[in-house]
Amino acid sequence: MKGSKLLLVVSCAVAMGFCGAVSAAEVSFPSWQWGESSNAALLNKIKGEFEKNNPQDKLTPINIPYEGFFDKQYSEVRSGSPSDIVTLFDPDVASYVKQGLLEPLDKYLETAGVSADQLSASHKIAIKDGHVFGVAFQTNPRALLVNGKLLKDAGLSMPTNLDEFLAAIEKLRNPTKQQFGFYSLSTSGPAQDAYLQTAPIVLGFGGSWFKEGKPTANNPQTIAALKFIKKVYDDGLVPRIDSRAAQQLFVDGKIASFIVGPFLVGFAAEQNKETYGNIEAIIPPFPGDQSASVTVFLGIPTAAKNKDSAGRFIATLLKPEMQKSVVEIVKALPAVKGSIPAGFLDQNPWFKAFVKAGDRAVSYAPEGMEEYGPEIYNIIGPGIEDILFNGKDVEQTANDLQGELEKFVAEKKAN
């Protein structure tokens, strides 16, 4: 019996491309995504495949609340007691790479038969000196999701420019039905949330907070985007709720449009077939004709106890069947180019907007200063909230933020 078990372990090691002994491990993987139905469905599918092919390994899902997740994870990584797999957004992966906190994943990509140049453009932020330090679990470029039925019921066609979009938002606002035409930031919360929720609009207007490492908070396009965000808030055109509650309202058919990633379509498919059947999508009709992208990366900390076992899990994620499942289950863009299943776009025409958005998307992380993302959020987030909730003038606030960001950059360069 012992001999057959040993043979099984060695066979599996050879099948996955490793030579020598394979250590048994219980892989720890905490993430808020274990508590989200479509993400959990995908993760469990990968887990099943991983454990089937690596019977010496077990993966332990740990559902962690989103609130405070990144601070807790970072604290554990810095203290040398991390989980085996970490979950990172764009600026987080840049920061971890800069600090040398992540293990190179090259040999696990090789195991999966995937080269770095086969990875999607979103991986640029996770590659340093030719080494890959993070693999996309999913990439969510931002497009404008629209409930086509609400639009048609109001006698509206799909907006093609900013003026038509504003007119549509105003007409779709129906207090009697508790219906809104759009959602954008409307409640106070963590600085990262204020930054993340407004980034697609800022970038969509052709604005930015940084270009090539230099602050651009007070350029005309950024100011125009902030004025738009303020207008829809001041005019009562967006619900006073956080983004997660707004996602549910969209699924419930109470919000007509939402700049968000394709994952929300996955939620709608599970929870409200009527909304799902009415979903259309376009690039946001803003003057900059640009989109933002948010990628969820998986990485392995340098201090992880079970690196190779965690690497085998990431190699499993990169298998063709799993990459297709990223699209089919989560409705997001996969890590490996060319992994969209045949016929998927014909069956899901709304997804074409996200593919198009992915081609022109810019990471929401501050360009050229990505590794300082969390610190920069703590400067920009309160400024955005001052504009919305404290009556601060947009242009004055933008100028103040420009000064603060220039000071921040100067201090970093001095150190």
Side-chain angles (χ1 to χ4, degrees):
M1 187 68 177
K2 289 182 179 178
S4 63
K5 284 185 177 179
L6 178 61
L7 179 61
L8 179 61
V9 169
V10 173
S11 298
C12 290
V14 173
M16 288 300 289
F18 291 100
C19 297
V22 176
S23 57
E26 186 167 327
V27 180
S28 59
F29 182 6
S31 178
W32 76 93
Q33 294 176 113
W34 290 106
E36 296 177 339
S37 54
S38 58
N39 285 327
L42 174 59
L43 287 170
N44 278 308
K45 182 172 183 178
I46 301 167
K47 176 180 183 291
E49 182 73 5
F50 164 69
E51 293 179 342
K52 181 182 76 173
N53 292 320
N54 302 280
Q56 76 281 2
D57 293 325
K58 295 294 178 185
L59 185 130
T60 303
I62 306 169
N63 184 20
I64 300 290
Y66 180 80
E67 293 73 17
F69 172 83
F70 290 97
D71 289 341
K72 181 177 185 297
Q73 176 177 264
Y74 182 67
S75 176
E76 291 172 349
V77 170
R78 288 291 297 171
S79 69
S81 56
S83 58
D84 295 311
I85 298 175
V86 289
T87 308
L88 307 161
F89 282 140
D90 305 53
D92 306 300
V93 77
S95 177
Y96 279 49
V97 170
K98 175 86 171 180
Q99 296 177 66
L101 298 174
L102 294 178
E103 189 76 7
L105 302 179
D106 305 352
K107 66 178 180 180
Y108 308 120
L109 267 69
E110 185 178 350
T111 297
V114 174
S115 61
D117 60 6
Q118 290 178 281
L119 296 175
S120 65
S122 61
H123 288 81
K124 179 182 178 182
I125 203 169
I127 297 175
K128 181 182 179 183
D129 299 330
H131 299 291
V132 178
F133 291 90
V135 165
F137 172 59
Q138 56 179 280
T139 296
N140 283 284
R142 274 18 187 179
L144 183 71
L145 282 186
V146 178
N147 187 317
K149 183 176 185 302
L150 295 182
L151 208 67
K152 291 167 188 171
D153 287 350
L156 296 166
S157 56
M158 194 69 73
T160 60
N161 56 51
L162 182 60
D163 289 339
E164 290 178 3
F165 186 45
L166 272 171
I169 292 172
E170 292 169 355
K171 188 168 183 179
L172 286 161
R173 175 69 176 110
N174 189 329
T176 304
K177 295 182 179 180
Q178 296 184 326
Q179 175 183 297
F180 293 85
F182 181 56
Y183 175 76
S184 69
L185 179 69
S186 59
T187 57
S188 181
Q192 174 172 316
D193 289 358
Y195 181 99
L196 177 58
Q197 290 177 44
T198 55
I201 298 175
V202 171
L203 291 169
F205 270 72
S208 62
W209 295 108
F210 279 85
K211 281 287 187 185
E212 299 179 351
K214 297 178 181 179
T216 52
N218 61 352
N219 72 26
Q221 294 82 9
T222 302
I223 289 173
L226 294 173
K227 286 182 176 179
F228 169 82
I229 295 166
K230 180 174 174 59
K231 175 177 174 55
V232 295
Y233 176 83
D234 287 348
D235 292 354
L237 300 176
V238 294
R240 300 317 201 238
I241 54 177
D242 64 33
S243 63
R244 294 210 160 200
Q247 290 172 17
Q248 189 61 54
L249 276 190
F250 180 85
V251 170
D252 293 341
K254 294 295 185 181
I255 294 177
S257 64
F258 202 137
I259 299 175
V260 70
F263 67 87
L264 188 53
V265 182
F267 293 168
E270 294 176 347
Q271 300 175 35
N272 191 326
K273 297 299 182 185
E274 181 180 358
T275 296
Y276 176 66
N278 290 319
I279 285 178
E280 301 176 38
I282 60 171
I283 300 293
F286 296 144
D289 195 31
Q290 183 176 251
S291 181
S293 179
V294 179
T295 300
V296 181
F297 291 94
L298 300 184
I300 302 173
T302 54
K305 293 179 180 178
N306 302 298
K307 295 177 186 177
D308 282 343
S309 296
R312 290 191 282 273
F313 180 84
I314 288 176
T316 304
L317 163 65
L318 291 172
K319 293 176 69 171
E321 180 188 351
M322 298 302 123
Q323 286 295 285
K324 290 178 181 178
S325 293
V326 172
V327 182
E328 294 170 335
I329 296 176
V330 182
K331 309 295 191 293
L333 296 184
V336 181
K337 299 173 187 174
S339 296
I340 297 175
F344 185 84
L345 293 177
D346 292 334
Q347 297 166 14
N348 301 274
W350 56 267
F351 198 71
K352 295 176 183 178
F354 289 98
V355 174
K356 186 177 179 181
D359 291 338
R360 67 181 68 180
V362 176
S363 172
Y364 78 97
E367 182 183 312
M369 297 290 285
E370 292 91 349
E371 68 267 28
Y372 301 116
E375 295 171 82
I376 290 170
Y377 303 155
N378 286 331
I379 297 172
I380 294 172
I384 294 171
E385 291 199 355
D386 276 344
I387 290 170
L388 292 181
F389 313 132
N390 298 320
K392 295 293 183 67
D393 178 74
V394 172
E395 294 191 17
Q396 182 59 55
T397 302
N399 286 327
D400 291 344
L401 286 173
Q402 180 72 12
E404 289 185 58
L405 293 172
E406 288 175 351
K407 180 181 177 183
F408 174 83
V409 172
E411 289 173 350
K412 292 300 179 184
K413 288 183 177 180
N415 294 331

